[in-house]
C-alpha cells in the first residue's frame, strides 16, 4: 500500500481537513496537499509527527503492516 493512501485515509477517518493536519507538520494546506497527491515527499520528521498524532506505527503508516 502506498503511504499516501494511508495518509489520506487516516486524515479522513478522523474527520480532519488537509489544513488541520498541515498545521501539525508546519505545512500550508497546499503543502500538505502536495504530499498527499504525490507532488512532494513526506520528510521523516513529519512522518514521526503524524504517527504520534494518529497513534500508529510507522510500519502501519507506510503500509508495511495492517496492525496500527
Amino acid at each position: 500500500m502506498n503511504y499516501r493512501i494511508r495518509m489520506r485515509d487516516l486524515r479522513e477517518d478522523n474527520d480532519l481537513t488537509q489544513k488541520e493536519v498541515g498545521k501539525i507538520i508546519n505545512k500550508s494546506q497546499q503543502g500538505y496537499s502536495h504530499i498527499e497527491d504525490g507532488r512532494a515527499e513526506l520528510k521523516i520528521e513529519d512522518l514521526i509527527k503524524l504517527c504520534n498524532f494518529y497513534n500508529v506505527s510507522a510500519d502501519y503508516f507506510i503500509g508495511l503492516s495492517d496492525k496500527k
Side-chain angles (χ1 to χ4, degrees):
M1 172 180 278
N2 184 316
Y3 77 87
R4 296 172 201 293
I5 294 168
R6 182 94 10 114
M7 187 174 176
R8 184 195 67 229
D9 290 346
L10 283 166
R11 179 179 58 77
E12 290 176 349
D13 289 348
N14 286 277
D15 296 322
L16 297 167
T17 65
Q18 289 181 338
K19 184 176 182 177
E20 291 169 325
V21 180
K23 286 181 182 181
I24 295 163
I25 58 172
N26 298 316
K27 303 274 187 245
S28 66
Q29 180 277 326
Q30 184 178 22
Y32 180 87
S33 174
H34 286 181
I35 296 169
E36 219 176 67
D37 294 342
R39 293 178 277 171
E41 292 297 323
L42 180 65
K43 294 180 180 179
I44 190 72
E45 56 268 13
D46 295 336
L47 169 66
I48 294 166
K49 288 178 188 176
L50 291 173
C51 288
N52 287 331
F53 176 76
Y54 290 121
N55 196 31
V56 298
S57 71
D59 283 350
Y60 177 80
F61 194 96
I62 63 174
L64 294 177
S65 171
D66 288 329
K67 184 177 178 182
K68 290 182 179 184

